[in-house]
Amino acid sequence: MAIKRCSWANPANPLYLAYHDNEWGVPCHDENRLFEMLNLEGAQAGLSWETILNKRESYRLAFDGWDAKKIARYDATKVAELLANPGIVRNRLKVAAAVTNAQAYLRLCEEFGGLDAYLWAYVKGKPIKNKGERIVKTELSDAISKDLLKRGFKFVGSTIIYAYMQGIGMVQDHAIDCSWRKK
């Protein structure tokens, strides 16, 4: 039987195929990955996910393995270093957002214990399974976006949050004929 994937998964990019096959739509409860993905989805704004995915390892190195406590303390010297790093998207607003998001994340951790408890409470711990249609935002992504913005997070608009929800498996949007839909 032939393997079928969602049409967006670039068959020429092994990183993209691995992401589609092993991460996208798979429920994630790992705090470090949840924080990483929130920032990477924000970095994607105006770009393709493939661009960010191809730079993910560089991001991990540049942002201290997405250690929020370290990132929250980045100073102007570290920000300048990041803006000179060709391995990441060198956008001043997006780099500053990662620092701001780390600070907001630490406050969220104090209140909820982390992104895992905070996010998954919205869906009562169970992923939403859609019918494979192309969705870019929902009332739920609107609500999460609005709340994250209120908490001080940046680059967390509703469309970004919906993509984030897909990436961390809060929603399962694999195409109807995708082999991974049944997993």
Side-chain angles (χ1 to χ4, degrees), residues 74-137:
Y74 283 0
D75 59 13
T77 302
K78 178 63 176 183
V79 169
E81 176 188 312
L82 290 167
L83 291 171
N85 184 338
I88 67 169
V89 174
R90 295 176 289 179
N91 176 297
R92 185 172 303 281
L93 293 176
K94 291 177 182 181
V95 169
V99 177
T100 300
N101 287 351
Q103 295 162 351
Y105 169 73
L106 294 175
R107 290 189 301 272
L108 185 134
C109 287
E110 289 176 17
E111 185 175 350
F112 294 95
L115 281 166
D116 183 46
Y118 170 80
L119 292 165
W120 286 93
Y122 278 98
V123 293
K124 297 181 175 59
K126 295 181 181 176
I128 297 167
K129 292 192 176 189
N130 290 319
K131 295 180 171 91
E133 64 269 33
R134 298 287 282 209
I135 300 170
V136 295
K137 68 180 186 168

Side-chain angles (χ1 to χ4, degrees), residues 29-68:
H29 298 282
D30 177 83
E31 277 301 311
N32 188 258
R33 182 160 176 268
L34 290 170
F35 181 66
E36 172 188 46
M37 290 297 292
L38 183 67
N39 284 287
L40 292 179
E41 289 292 353
Q44 177 195 349
L47 304 169
S48 73
W49 176 245
E50 189 168 15
T51 296
I52 301 303
L53 190 60
N54 289 337
K55 294 177 177 282
R56 181 159 62 169
E57 286 306 317
S58 294
Y59 267 100
R60 286 177 177 158
L61 289 172
F63 284 91
D64 293 299
W66 293 106
D67 182 329

